[in-house]
Amino acid sequence: MTRSVDLMTNFIASLSILAISSIVSLGQDFSTDERLQGFAVGSDHATFVFDEAVYGIAQPTRVVVTGAFRAWSDDMGASEWQLRRDASSSGLWTLRIDGDRLDKLGPGVPFKYRISAGDWLAPPPQAVNEVGGNLIFDGAGRLFAEIRGPRAIWLNLSGGETPRSLNTEDYRLTNGAGVEIPIEAIIPNTATESLLVPAVDLDIRRVYYVESVGSGLRALCRRDPWFRTLYSSKPLGAEIASDGSETTFRLFAPRAQQVRLYLYLDAFATHSEAARVVEMTPDVNGVWEATEEGDHHGVYYDFRISGPTDPGNAFFESTGSHVSDPYARVNVEAFGKSRVWRKLRPAPPLADGRPPMEDVIAYEVHVQDFTDGLNVPDNISGTLPAMVKPGVKNSRRARVGFDYLVDLGINVVHLMPVQEYLHYPNDEWRRAFMNDAYMKEQGINEENYQWGYRTTHAFAIETRYRSRDSDFGAQRQEFRDLVAAFHEKGIAVIIDIVPNHTGENMDGRNYNLNLNGIDKSYYFRTNDDLEHIGPFGNEIKTEDRPMVQRWIIDQCLHFVREFGIDGFRIDLAGQIDEQTLLRLKKELPEDIILYGEPWIAPSDPQVAANPDWAWYKSDAPITFFQDDARNAFKGPVSNPVDKRTDRGFAGGDSSIRDRVMLGLTNSFPEEMEPNRGINYLDIHDNWALADQFAVTDWDGRHGVHEVNFKIAATLLFTSLGPVVIHGGTEMMRSKGHAPLEEIVKRTESGPISIHGKRDTYNLRTANTFVWDHVGANSTDAGVANNYQSMIDYWKGLIALRKSSYGAVFRRGTAAPDGYYDWLLPTNEHLLGYIVDQTVLVLINTDESPATFSVGKLPAGTWTQAADSDIVNHVAGVPNVSPVNSSGGEHSFDVAGPGLEVWIRK
């Protein structure tokens, strides 16, 4: 779910308030503050205001506003969110918002402007409503309320035009059913804060609202003061005693009034067929528990959680639904029962230890994509055992699958989600699509194929990844064996975790699988109507929720302790509060590999406005995906238009040479040392690099500009710090089979959005590895690209980076001045650099040959390790003589486009 937030820096930071004020009188009458904050508020409408002078932008062709109110959509073609240029003023663009759209713009909603080809604009430096890199909409003031006790509600009324009143009749307190509760007093504390004293005792577990009658503002009485104090260190889930004498079940459900444990002997038994129903007992911290005699390994179970039917609640009385265990080690797919399972002994650790972050060469791969096309028995195709099956060959007798990864030389395999995730049931899916021609063509008419970024059970391994002739739960041992197989080959294993949102609210559907039904208002960020917020269905609430913070930490420790994995990539980590990530790092082993996505701020304005919770690159608590380097090396992530400008420096955009230099040295402003950012070219939800560098029609299946492709790879592998490869990029894997257009299909439970080529998360054929490309080149009949030659090229770059010469790139601390000695010819298509006097890289993205003059080539014997055809740091490029330097001037002729890499031996 990577979202690129390419913050533009070309606004005029020094633009003075006086200069802005001088243009206010032109066109519509918007004040200086309104132009800076990006909006104005009327009596029954709001207006988005974009001023070219404020941003230092000259005549963009299009201006679009986007934000949490439209799920941060990057669609530049949505006419209802496009601003119009005011013909009567100089550089002023506006968009009036009223009616239903105005309802989406509540106080604290973040937004941003995008222009022309889709650049995201950073807020003006003088904007007082800038929070976390976004502008914040704050229309008619804000009312905030918290329950502090049975007779205490803390109020904060700020902004707006109605002054704070101390008269009880100016406030209205109601319960969730709308019944009014008398107010005894309003007691002021500050100019905006007051204590509201109810005339009767409140139940902190129930729902209440307070309204400021004069201002028309209404707020949920939040329970955060209570929730932030609840914590227990008791083991949760189903735990079997070490001697097998008993099994204890525990569930954290702080607002439940009753919890019943249902035990079953069959996965598909009905609730009435339960073998036993057990009343669970709560403790003072909200943990419900029950202990049963004996070893219950293999027993199925779920819970019935009872509670009030207040708005926003999803207890049994409101839904009639049982819930599964969020700590279950095994779950029968997303919708089924949980299963008691014994702990595993972890895989043996890596013989030489986990690679340090600066040494990481990670390979991101999806289990099903990687194994679907392998020549393996049908019962393991698409599963964990197929992922590590040795001896598999393709029709050309080339080594593929597990052996291919070992041969490639990567030292970290990064698995896309393997935790139990949402698949719509096969019978529902097949009824809708079995005979649908489009779905057949995309390989998704028989099952709901997914990448897995919709976790439903964070401790369980995905049921569909087990071998097909095995029982529910076998996937745990199979995953443990996968980790052991990679460790035996010296390859670390990290997994992609998705704790920022869960699969319970996807595609407009609302399921009460576990966290929703246990207590939605505790586990998730919600609005004042107790509805989920966030662009991806829901957002986990880690701040003010110690037990949600613990849930994230526990799942990571679980995978380390029971499987022996070596690290995590955190999906949309920017939505998880900074303090939780800091504690996660503290609790995990010091040598664990940890990186994630910094994009997409929390949707709750209270969280986004708190600098101790919200974070971005400058204060990132973990290593983050460095999209700035990616864009410089190879261009933006999707929907390119112009091959000269939309494929980065490698594709011929010479105007960004300076940004390439920043990317190579990991020295963008937010990077104090190379290990802060992890560099990459493409990743799962980007366009495939082969399509971006396609010869025609942006479809790499029919031909790729291979030299430019290799230049991009060389830039990546000669940059500092860790790197990650999108699995299959090295073999020019194309997603050209995916359509460009986006469509919506439907099953009986609701819509299915198919985003097409820009995000192939549910398109199976487009993502499948074409293993017959291994060993094939364009000299073979019907083959468009030099696939094997490209694979060999990337293998050579990986080997060079892992060698003693490549140690100059594997640097985690800040490099000294001159570490990269730049060669900057007048022709900006040319870029050269000598790294630590050891490696010389020469890049020419021009169409014509060029000569590089190196004024002082460090003394020694220089061997050419790479050109546009081959990388071999051991034997060197054939038929090229070494260069013996005494420290003087030397010239190098480089083909156009082309590259050379030299090493000093």
Side-chain angles (χ1 to χ4, degrees):
M1 287 188 177
T2 308
R3 182 181 296 272
S4 169
V5 185
D6 303 330
L7 303 179
M8 287 192 66
T9 59
N10 62 340
F11 54 80
I12 303 175
S14 61
L15 192 63
S16 68
I17 297 296
L18 179 61
I20 301 171
S21 299
S22 68
I23 61 172
V24 170
S25 60
L26 297 175
Q28 298 185 48
D29 187 17
F30 294 109
S31 71
T32 298
D33 288 342
E34 288 169 337
R35 291 168 183 251
L36 286 170
Q37 70 187 18
F39 70 90
V41 177
S43 59
D44 61 352
H45 70 280
T47 303
F48 283 112
V49 180
F50 178 85
D51 190 329
E52 294 177 11
V54 166
Y55 283 88
I57 301 294
Q59 297 184 335
T61 58
R62 182 177 299 178
V63 177
V64 169
V65 65
T66 188
F69 53 87
R70 52 179 298 220
W72 288 105
S73 171
D74 57 7
D75 180 10
M76 293 291 291
S79 59
E80 67 272 24
W81 298 109
Q82 291 180 13
L83 281 71
R84 301 292 182 264
R85 199 169 195 270
D86 187 345
S88 64
S89 67
S90 177
L92 188 69
W93 300 65
T94 61
L95 174 65
R96 180 185 170 108
I97 302 293
D98 50 24
D100 292 341
R101 289 193 299 168
L102 184 61
D103 294 339
K104 298 179 180 180
L105 288 174
V109 172
F111 69 96
K112 242 191 187 83
Y113 288 110
R114 304 184 77 211
I115 62 166
S116 302
D119 296 315
W120 297 73
L121 300 185
Q126 302 96 337
V128 296
N129 60 325
E130 186 277 333
V131 175
N134 299 313
L135 292 168
I136 301 299
F137 183 87
D138 197 359
R142 183 177 303 176
L143 177 63
F144 186 75
E146 289 183 331
I147 301 179
R148 298 288 180 89
R151 294 284 187 101
I153 296 177
W154 197 252
L155 296 182
N156 191 324
L157 178 60
S158 60
E161 298 179 357
T162 302
R164 190 269 313 271
S165 172
L166 300 180
N167 298 319
T168 58
E169 60 267 24
D170 289 331
Y171 298 88
R172 185 168 181 262
L173 178 64
T174 58
N175 64 17
V179 177
E180 192 162 350
I181 297 168
I183 299 171
E184 180 178 312
I186 302 293
I187 303 172
N189 181 64
T190 69
T192 62
E193 294 175 307
S194 307
L195 176 66
L196 183 152
V197 182
V200 297
D201 284 356
L202 304 181
D203 180 352
I204 198 170
R205 291 171 170 78
R206 303 298 297 271
V207 174
Y208 301 95
Y209 288 95
V210 64
E211 180 181 350
S212 168
V213 178
S215 66
L217 297 174
R218 174 177 176 267
L220 171 73
C221 297
R222 293 181 177 267
R223 293 173 284 256
D224 295 346
W226 175 48
F227 283 161
R228 71 170 64 101
T229 66
L230 294 175
Y231 183 77
S232 173
S233 59
K234 292 179 180 178
L236 299 177
E239 294 290 322
I240 302 170
S242 57
D243 62 358
S245 61
E246 62 184 22
T247 302
T248 300
F249 299 82
R250 293 190 184 92
L251 179 78
F252 176 71
R255 292 198 306 123
Q257 296 172 332
Q258 180 190 56
V259 178
R260 290 178 176 175
L261 168 69
Y262 282 65
L263 302 174
Y264 310 87
L265 300 180
D266 183 82
F268 304 105
T270 64
H271 301 148
S272 62
E273 295 170 334
R276 181 167 164 75
V277 179
V278 183
E279 293 285 344
M280 302 184 76
T281 304
D283 69 10
V284 295
N285 293 311
V287 174
W288 295 74
E289 50 194 339
T291 298
E292 292 284 287
E293 289 187 5
D295 184 339
H296 279 41
H297 176 79
V299 171
Y300 297 93
Y301 67 103
D302 62 19
F303 304 100
R304 195 184 94 172
I305 302 178
S306 294
T309 58
D310 291 343
N313 288 350
F315 297 125
F316 179 80
E317 284 68 23
S318 298
T319 67
S321 299
H322 284 218
V323 301
S324 52
D325 185 356
Y327 273 72
R329 286 184 171 87
V330 176
N331 213 78
V332 182
E333 298 207 2
F335 294 94
K337 298 177 177 63
S338 302
R339 196 175 195 189
V340 181
W341 212 258
R342 297 188 190 99
K343 293 180 180 178
L344 290 174
R345 296 174 63 88
L350 289 157
D352 296 325
R354 295 173 177 131
M357 183 62 79
E358 62 267 21
D359 286 358
V360 165
I361 305 173
Y363 188 91
E364 182 211 42
V365 64
H366 182 258
V367 170
Q368 187 172 358
D369 294 347
F370 189 80
T371 62
D372 252 356
L374 291 174
N375 182 23
V376 297
D378 289 344
N379 72 310
I380 65 169
S381 177
T383 71
L384 297 163
M387 188 89 196
V388 290
K389 184 173 178 57
V392 180
K393 296 185 178 181
N394 66 6
S395 63
R396 302 177 190 277
R397 308 305 300 161
R399 287 159 58 92
V400 295
F402 179 65
D403 294 338
Y404 170 89
L405 273 186
V406 174
D407 294 344
L408 192 60
I410 50 105
N411 59 11
V412 176
V413 62
H414 159 172
L415 297 175
M416 290 165 67
V418 297
Q419 296 161 295
E420 190 73 58
Y421 60 86
L422 179 69
H423 286 96
Y424 297 114
N426 284 347
D427 54 353
E428 173 188 343
W429 195 264
R430 290 168 182 164
R431 282 195 296 272
F433 304 128
M434 192 66 184
N435 298 311
D436 185 304
Y438 175 94
M439 304 297 269
K440 282 184 177 180
E441 182 186 8
Q442 301 305 320
I444 52 174
N445 63 311
E446 295 189 29
E447 69 163 352
N448 175 213
Y449 163 91
Q450 292 283 344
W451 276 338
Y453 294 97
R454 37 182 67 193
T455 302
T456 59
H457 297 84
F459 295 74
I461 302 297
E462 168 56 44
T463 306
R464 297 192 185 192
Y465 283 166
R466 79 188 195 282
S467 51
R468 292 183 184 84
D469 54 357
S470 63
D471 196 8
F472 298 118
Q475 63 268 27
R476 291 187 69 80
Q477 184 66 45
E478 291 175 341
F479 181 63
R480 184 264 180 206
D481 293 345
L482 176 150
V483 176
F486 277 112
H487 279 188
E488 186 178 342
K489 298 298 183 180
I491 299 174
V493 179
I494 71 173
I495 63 169
D496 210 326
I497 64 169
V498 194
N500 48 279
H501 59 268
T502 79
E504 294 185 271
N505 303 96
M506 289 288 166
D507 303 319
R509 296 163 173 81
N510 294 302
Y511 296 118
N512 299 307
L513 303 180
N514 41 63
L515 301 184
N516 269 341
I518 295 170
D519 193 345
K520 179 174 72 173
S521 67
Y522 182 88
Y523 284 97
F524 296 99
R525 294 177 183 139
T526 62
N527 61 19
D528 276 5
D529 292 321
L530 291 166
E531 300 166 334
H532 284 294
I533 59 175
F536 304 108
N538 59 49
E539 286 182 19
I540 285 293
K541 187 169 180 61
T542 49
E543 65 291 329
D544 276 339
R545 302 291 192 273
M547 293 298 281
V548 180
Q549 184 181 94
R550 180 190 155 185
W551 172 75
I552 291 179
I553 293 167
D554 282 353
Q555 61 185 268
C556 292
L557 289 173
H558 170 82
F559 276 89
V560 172
R561 293 169 177 170
E562 294 208 22
F563 299 102
I565 70 159
D566 305 292
F568 305 92
R569 178 264 189 190
I570 305 178
D571 181 73
L572 290 183
Q575 291 192 323
I576 301 170
D577 80 277
E578 183 177 2
Q579 304 307 313
T580 293
L581 293 174
L582 289 171
R583 184 173 172 225
L584 174 63
K585 284 182 67 174
K586 177 182 177 294
E587 297 295 331
L588 290 172
E590 189 175 357
D591 62 347
I592 211 78
I593 300 166
L594 190 64
Y595 55 86
E597 296 177 302
W599 311 297
I600 306 300
S603 297
D604 186 331
Q606 298 291 332
V607 181
N610 188 329
D612 293 330
W613 289 337
W615 61 274
Y616 194 53
K617 294 178 181 179
S618 61
D619 59 343
I622 61 173
T623 298
F624 56 84
F625 278 83
Q626 184 46 285
D627 51 322
D628 289 317
R630 174 204 68 199
N631 292 347
F633 293 165
K634 68 91 191 183
V637 295
S638 65
N639 301 332
V641 176
D642 188 326
K643 293 183 183 295
R644 297 293 292 182
T645 59
D646 294 347
R647 304 190 305 171
F649 186 76
D653 184 359
S654 62
S655 69
I656 56 173
R657 184 171 69 173
D658 58 337
R659 296 186 67 77
V660 172
M661 295 160 63
L662 294 174
L664 287 165
T665 54
N666 279 29
S667 55
F668 283 99
E670 308 90 352
E671 294 177 289
M672 283 67 84
E673 69 277 334
N675 277 350
R676 286 185 67 82
I678 186 167
N679 282 347
Y680 67 109
L681 296 175
D682 60 339
I683 213 72
H684 59 269
D685 55 359
N686 297 173
W687 268 40
L689 195 65
D691 298 325
Q692 196 153 8
F693 283 84
V695 175
T696 58
D697 298 329
W698 306 102
D699 188 339
R701 294 177 298 171
H702 310 306
V704 170
H705 285 121
E706 294 182 20
V707 173
N708 301 89
F709 195 99
K710 291 174 179 177
I711 289 173
T714 301
L715 291 171
L716 175 67
F717 281 99
T718 59
S719 66
L720 296 184
V723 299
V724 59
I725 307 164
H726 176 210
T729 291
E730 78 290 346
M731 64 171 72
M732 294 181 284
R733 185 162 71 112
S734 166
K735 298 181 184 179
H737 186 83
L740 284 172
E741 70 272 16
E742 302 189 25
I743 65 171
V744 176
K745 295 280 186 175
R746 299 191 69 86
T747 73
E748 60 203 40
S749 64
I752 302 293
S753 297
I754 299 176
H755 297 157
K757 195 171 182 177
R758 77 168 176 88
D759 182 7
T760 56
Y761 77 102
N762 58 2
L763 294 174
R764 182 176 182 178
T765 302
N767 294 314
T768 299
F769 278 62
V770 183
W771 286 112
D772 273 353
H773 286 167
V774 181
N777 283 314
S778 59
T779 53
D780 300 316
V783 177
N785 294 304
N786 292 301
Y787 294 108
Q788 185 59 50
S789 293
M790 186 64 76
I791 293 168
D792 291 339
Y793 201 89
W794 283 62
K795 286 173 64 175
L797 287 171
I798 292 170
L800 171 61
R801 189 175 179 91
K802 292 171 66 177
S803 73
S804 59
Y805 308 105
V808 300
F809 308 117
R810 306 193 313 272
R811 183 183 181 96
T813 57
D817 290 343
Y819 192 79
Y820 274 66
D821 186 7
W822 301 107
L823 307 173
L824 303 174
T826 303
N827 182 350
E828 293 186 342
H829 285 284
L830 310 181
L831 174 62
Y833 41 101
I834 302 172
V835 186
D836 198 24
Q837 300 191 11
T838 302
V839 180
L840 167 65
V841 182
L842 304 170
I843 304 289
N844 177 13
T845 65
D846 208 343
E847 297 298 322
S848 302
T851 299
F852 284 83
S853 296
V854 183
K856 292 182 179 180
L857 185 67
T861 300
W862 290 81
T863 299
Q864 188 173 356
D867 62 11
S868 300
D869 296 318
I870 187 173
V871 182
N872 190 329
H873 73 277
V874 177
V877 175
N879 304 317
V880 177
S881 300
V883 171
N884 295 307
S885 174
S886 58
E889 183 175 352
H890 287 269
S891 296
F892 297 87
D893 295 327
V894 180
L899 67 94
E900 292 182 3
V901 179
W902 294 75
I903 55 177
R904 188 173 67 153
K905 293 197 172 184

